[in-house]
Amino acid sequence: MSALIPAGQVPISVALVVVSGAVAVVFFAIADRLARRPVSESSRLASYLFALWWIGIGTSVAINAVLVGLALTDTLPFPLGISIYLVSLLVDCVFLAALVSALTYVYTGSYHLLEIGGFYLAFYAVLLDWALSQSPDGLSLHAGVPALAFTAAANPALTAAVTLGLLVPGVAAAVAYLSLLRETADRSIRFRIALVGGSILLWFALEILVPSTTASWVLTRSVLELVPGGLSLLALIPPAGVRRRFGVPAPGGKEEYYRRRPAER
């Protein structure tokens, strides 16, 4: 029996490992399919970045499965636990940067990778400061998932900065992307913008609104987050039935990501 997971919580912990692992595999499959979608050369990086967004979400879910699995087998010492935690913060920064870069390309015609990458590098430093300033000294079980136990209170200003950094850029980018609906009358393009933008906002809404107070809620949120992934897949690679229902033409050849402005060289 694990020193971290009581005997009574072993069944739900096993379910967390199995379900989270399966959800992560589905996210990876969605990302793979999106990355292999035929697009023009100028849109290829945007396609890969959007796939990286879903890879990152899948990796984040998989990290939870690994943590619980290690705790179940009583092979999760504190140094390994804190290392995985810090890596998970980096994963969050990478997939958020990928999302914002992809949507920035669509909205402006340029990726602005240097600026966005610099912002998220600085944000990772803030995350590290926020975590380490709370003096982590062990591991505890939070909602069925091993988490760091802290001995010091979090700095309110840093906590506010972390919350804003995790939510505002991605939500703002999705809203800006959805605003492109006003600029095109093309039914196919409007279909994709509405579903992709809506899927991103839905993912953030689930992160904000679905509590993570128990293992059951963590399981529920992991499964619900497959819905945004599925919507994005439907938007960019709609099956024949969906195309007929919404009057969307079949994709032909290498598609171009709709952009507000011409691509900058």
Side-chain angles (χ1 to χ4, degrees), residues 166-182:
L166 288 171
L167 298 176
V168 172
V171 171
V175 171
Y177 177 63
L178 282 169
S179 73
L180 296 177
L181 284 169
R182 301 172 301 179

Side-chain angles (χ1 to χ4, degrees), residues 96-150:
L96 287 170
L99 172 70
V100 174
S101 297
L103 296 183
T104 298
Y105 166 76
V106 175
Y107 193 76
T108 69
S110 180
Y111 290 102
H112 296 281
L113 293 177
L114 186 61
E115 299 94 323
I116 295 170
F119 169 81
Y120 278 101
L121 184 62
F123 181 58
Y124 182 59
V126 172
L127 285 173
L128 291 178
D129 188 25
W130 174 75
L132 298 178
S133 67
Q134 297 175 66
S135 303
D137 71 341
L139 297 172
S140 63
L141 205 62
H142 176 71
V145 179
L148 295 183
F150 300 103

